[in-house]
Amino acid sequence: MQQSIEAVNLTKKYGSFVALSGLNLKFEGAKCVGFLGPNGAGKTTTLKLFTDMIRPSAGHALINGIDVHENKRDALSSCTALIETPEIYPSLTPAEALSMIAEIRGVSSNERNIRIEESLNEVKMLEWKDKKVGKFSKGMKQRVNIASVLISDPSIIMLDEPTTGLDPRGMSEVREIVKSLKRKNRLIFMSSHLLNEVTDVCDEVAMIDHGKLLVYDSILNVIQKFSENGSNIIEVGFSRAIDENIMEKIGKLENVKATSKIDETNLRMEILGDIKVQEALFYELANMKIGVISFKPSSSALESTYLNMIKETL
Amino acid sequence: MPNRVPSSIRQAFTVTKFELLNYVRSRRFIIMLGIGIIVGALLTLLVGHYRPSGFLASSIDFYSSWWGISATYIVILSGIFFGGDAISGEFQNKTGYFIVGNPIRRSSIYAGKWLAAFVASFIVLIVFLGITVLNNFYYFGLNLPYQFLESFLFTLLYLISVLGLTFFFSSLFKSSSVAILTTVVLMLFAFSLIQELIDAFVHVEPWFLITYGAGIIGNILTVPYPSHILTTHFGHVVVTSYAVTVPEGIAILVAYFAVTVILGLVLFERKEFN
Ligand SMILES: Nc1ncnc2c1ncn2[C@@H]1O[C@H](COP(=O)(O)OP(=O)(O)OP(=O)(O)O)[C@@H](O)[C@H]1O
Ligand SMILES: [Mg+2]
């Protein structure tokens, strides 16, 4: 069975204020879905509904088809979540705190210690394993929190701004963790304000504002559909310095509107067309044997799309 | 391969285990145990030095004066120490966020934490019991009247009931200090004040007070068992005081536990983490 996350008419009201309004959304399989929206849009509210931390006013939050509010034990059995920044009992050590989660989740006792070490190692906190959490810095605590969602080897992971409070290296480590989870065929749902982070690790994005879903699609399609003139910005990376010759050749390709250099080895390419066009372009670039090593939508493109969309709903 | 989620009961025991570890680590347990030992030591010194006749008339009088008076305070203090912020703290300190997002029922968390508070209080009570029995042994030799055994069991029942109540308050309020303050004021002042006012002016049996129910702890150590209604005249003022009977006392304590546990659990189930 494919792992899945599904919101059916999911609604949350606080008195007369609607924090989340009839959200319908479903993703399944192995991928990372970014969850975007301005402050107060309803991202955390959505994720809390998916972990039964709050009750829906209407609708259902389903994980693997099981309603979280009706059957939390089954729904969350292979799904972990990190929402906002939980605190760990200050007098416990990371090893103890993780051991508690592992026990609650039924990680077998002979596996527990290995899993604890592995997940602490992933977040670079192994040397702090037996120190009390109370004295940790904010970022160190968040690293332990991240370890806690890895401990039981879940198939679905929900993260609410996971890199909050982390240093730049910590952020990039978390990105690597998310990428490696994707390689292990996990389904990841991650809210974030960092659009470069989302462009880097996510395949698809869902954008919400004022509790309403604006769009859910692949990053490339979102950028293309909502960019101002229907064009799409792609960043192409090369293994060697780009010469004028190559620039010219690329500029002449079909559907390429404009090109510009970002730096010695990176090129920005404005293109017209959908995902099929992009596929064809990528194929052509690779065939030109000019040292292309990466091809991805530009994070600044996602940013301008994002800003456009949010503006529209104001 | 996915892990199989353990039964709700096993998960509750897991919560208990780590809650107890937290009590020990955070020194909460040591402090409460210390209070029990200090109270025991002070009583030992005072009785040894002044040899009050109330204590030393007989073995049962000794237990009545010693246990009948201090045990309820040990219970109330334990209830406040281990139960006062048990649930509210999870919200206020955001420690609850670490655990609720897991496949565990809230009732397992509640039960696990309750059991931890009971075990910790029970150990404190046992130590205080040890001090009591040793003192009695010193004055009267090996002597354990069955009334004392009953009194101890009633104390445990009172503990269960008090923890039900403190957990209820900690579930009712989101702020730990409000929850603790409410428990302190009610258990240490308000209930006994109400009871005295009722005795003096209303002349009805205060069957609705948990502290009245706890009267069986001391009453059972009074031989013969005190009469149910006692009327005293102070000039024109008539004070009617009631001594709770054993079946009544048990019923009051059990009822308090049942009602507060159900209400506390319902509140916790409905409370939102936001
Ligand atoms: N307990 C509550 N009572 C009333 N309103 C609430 C409550 N919790 C959240 N809200 C409101 O719901 C809306 C959505 O909040 P939410 O935390 O989901 O936003 P978010 O998208 O996670 O924002 P951020 O990016 O700042 O984390 C906000 O307007 C917030 O004020
Ligand atoms: Mg949020």
Side-chain angles (χ1 to χ4, degrees), chain A residues 204-242:
Chain A
E204 300 174 341
V205 285
M207 279 194 202
I208 64 167
D209 195 12
H210 295 102
K212 288 204 179 71
L213 184 69
L214 304 179
V215 65
Y216 164 56
D217 209 332
S218 74
I219 296 189
L220 291 169
N221 281 345
V222 168
I223 292 173
Q224 197 222 326
K225 262 197 264 176
F226 296 94
S227 60
E228 273 163 46
N229 45 14
S231 66
N232 214 332
I233 313 271
I234 303 281
E235 284 172 15
V236 188
F238 292 79
S239 60
R240 46 188 185 258
I242 310 161

Side-chain angles (χ1 to χ4, degrees), chain A residues 276-297:
Chain A
K276 284 261 151 35
V277 170
Q278 285 166 24
E279 194 182 323
L281 261 175
F282 180 54
Y283 182 76
E284 268 184 78
L285 282 176
N287 266 347
M288 284 162 79
K289 298 209 167 62
I290 47 177
V292 171
I293 52 170
S294 72
F295 182 95
K296 61 171 201 272

Side-chain angles (χ1 to χ4, degrees), chain A residues 33-271:
Chain A
V33 180
F35 199 21
L36 304 180
N39 294 131
K43 303 181 296 296
T44 302
T45 302
T46 307
L47 292 170
K48 281 181 176 173
L49 287 165
F50 271 107
T51 45
D52 197 39
M53 291 168 82
I54 58 178
R55 267 165 296 139
S57 311
H60 302 273
L62 309 171
I63 290 176
N64 292 330
I66 304 166
D67 190 311
V68 178
H69 186 58
E70 273 156 26
N71 189 353
K72 181 183 172 192
R73 277 166 54 84
D74 287 344
L76 294 180
S77 65
S78 61
C79 167
T80 60
L82 169 54
I83 291 164
E84 291 191 321
T85 43
E87 288 290 329
I88 299 168
Y89 284 150
S91 55
L92 298 190
T93 66
E96 288 158 354
L98 294 181
S99 179
M100 173 171 80
I101 299 297
E103 237 178 82
I104 285 172
R105 288 190 158 269
V107 177
S108 67
S109 53
N110 48 9
E111 253 184 280
R112 226 170 276 157
N113 283 333
I114 304 167
R115 299 282 325 150
I116 290 171
E117 299 220 334
E118 276 176 3
S119 20
L120 282 175
N121 192 35
E122 284 223 56
V123 296
K124 307 284 182 293
M125 286 294 288
L126 194 52
E127 59 176 310
W128 299 91
K129 183 169 162 256
D130 298 313
K131 304 276 193 304
K132 289 187 184 177
V133 173
K135 299 212 173 73
F136 287 6
S137 73
K138 206 166 90 188
M140 289 163 79
K141 286 182 192 165
Q142 185 68 350
R143 284 166 186 257
V144 180
N145 283 332
I146 292 169
S148 79
V149 300
L150 305 174
I151 196 91
S152 57
D153 198 18
S155 58
I156 301 178
I157 299 136
M158 297 189 279
L159 302 166
D160 187 19
E161 297 181 44
T163 52
T164 311
L166 296 189
D167 58 27
R169 208 192 53 182
M171 289 186 183
S172 108
E173 281 160 9
V174 169
R175 284 201 284 274
E176 287 315 311
I177 291 174
V178 173
K179 284 182 191 168
S180 81
L181 288 170
K182 263 194 337 191
R183 284 195 291 274
K184 286 194 261 175
N185 295 323
R186 306 292 188 258
L187 177 58
I188 302 136
F189 187 28
M190 178 176 94
S191 87
S192 176
H193 288 298
L194 304 170
L195 297 173
N196 61 336
E197 181 174 280
V198 172
T199 323
D200 187 20
V201 302
C202 296
D203 310 282
E204 300 174 341
V205 285
M207 279 194 202
I208 64 167
D209 195 12
H210 295 102
K212 288 204 179 71
L213 184 69
L214 304 179
V215 65
Y216 164 56
D217 209 332
S218 74
I219 296 189
L220 291 169
N221 281 345
V222 168
I223 292 173
Q224 197 222 326
K225 262 197 264 176
F226 296 94
S227 60
E228 273 163 46
N229 45 14
S231 66
N232 214 332
I233 313 271
I234 303 281
E235 284 172 15
V236 188
F238 292 79
S239 60
R240 46 188 185 258
I242 310 161
D243 63 37
E244 285 307 314
N245 213 344
I246 290 181
M247 288 282 287
E248 204 175 311
K249 268 194 197 163
I250 295 176
K252 283 187 184 145
L253 289 175
E254 203 181 335
N255 293 319
V256 175
K257 258 175 67 181
T259 54
S260 61
K261 257 192 192 175
I262 302 169
D263 55 35
E264 275 300 289
T265 58
N266 287 291
L267 185 95
R268 191 195 312 277
M269 190 166 83
E270 199 180 334
I271 65 168

Side-chain angles (χ1 to χ4, degrees), chain B residues 9-256:
Chain B
I9 292 175
R10 278 196 53 189
Q11 288 178 321
F13 283 131
T14 300
V15 171
T16 303
K17 185 168 97 185
F18 285 93
E19 190 73 7
L20 282 173
L21 180 65
N22 188 40
Y23 284 155
V24 173
R25 283 287 176 69
S26 63
R27 306 224 176 82
R28 206 179 265 231
F29 176 69
I30 295 297
I31 292 172
M32 187 57 222
L33 190 64
I35 291 175
I37 291 174
I38 288 169
V39 171
L42 276 178
L43 278 172
T44 303
L45 287 176
L46 290 174
V47 174
H49 188 73
Y50 294 105
R51 310 228 157 206
S53 55
F55 277 76
L56 299 181
S58 72
S59 173
I60 192 124
D61 283 335
F62 180 88
Y63 281 123
S64 167
S65 315
W66 184 299
W67 186 267
I69 291 164
S70 41
T72 53
Y73 287 99
I74 301 279
V75 166
I76 292 169
L77 283 181
S78 295
I80 293 164
F81 249 75
F82 300 120
D85 66 343
I87 302 300
S88 53
E90 296 290 331
F91 289 90
Q92 191 175 318
N93 309 330
K94 283 190 116 185
T95 47
Y97 286 68
F98 189 66
I99 183 169
V100 283
N102 287 291
I104 180 171
R105 290 202 177 98
R106 295 209 184 168
S107 49
S108 298
I109 300 176
Y110 198 90
K113 294 195 69 144
W114 190 92
L115 188 61
F118 178 77
V119 170
S121 311
F122 182 75
I123 295 172
V124 173
L125 261 188
I126 288 287
V127 169
F128 189 68
L129 175 87
I131 298 172
T132 311
V133 171
L134 280 177
N135 270 278
N136 186 273
F137 179 74
Y138 176 76
Y139 296 108
F140 301 99
L142 202 57
N143 195 325
L144 264 180
Y146 73 93
Q147 289 97 332
F148 181 59
L149 208 68
E150 283 180 294
S151 178
F152 179 67
L153 291 178
F154 294 159
T155 311
L156 285 187
L157 183 60
Y158 186 44
L159 173 63
I160 289 171
S161 192
V162 165
L163 284 175
L165 191 69
T166 52
F167 266 65
F168 164 71
F169 284 125
S170 81
S171 199
L172 181 63
F173 300 111
K174 260 193 176 169
S175 148
S176 297
S177 30
V178 173
I180 292 174
L181 204 66
T182 308
T183 317
V184 170
V185 169
L186 282 183
M187 298 300 296
L188 292 178
F189 309 106
F191 284 162
S192 40
L193 180 68
I194 293 171
Q195 191 164 338
E196 273 170 36
L197 291 176
I198 287 174
D199 283 352
F201 303 111
V202 191
H203 311 299
V204 294
E205 188 177 6
W207 53 267
F208 42 84
L209 294 176
I210 186 174
T211 42
Y212 177 66
I216 52 175
I217 295 169
N219 289 353
I220 195 78
L221 293 170
T222 310
V223 187
Y225 201 89
S227 61
H228 187 45
I229 305 173
L230 191 71
T231 326
T232 330
H233 296 263
F234 294 105
H236 291 296
V237 184
V238 182
V239 172
T240 316
S241 60
Y242 288 84
V244 67
T245 65
V246 169
E248 260 186 323
I250 292 176
I252 292 170
L253 296 182
V254 168
Y256 254 89

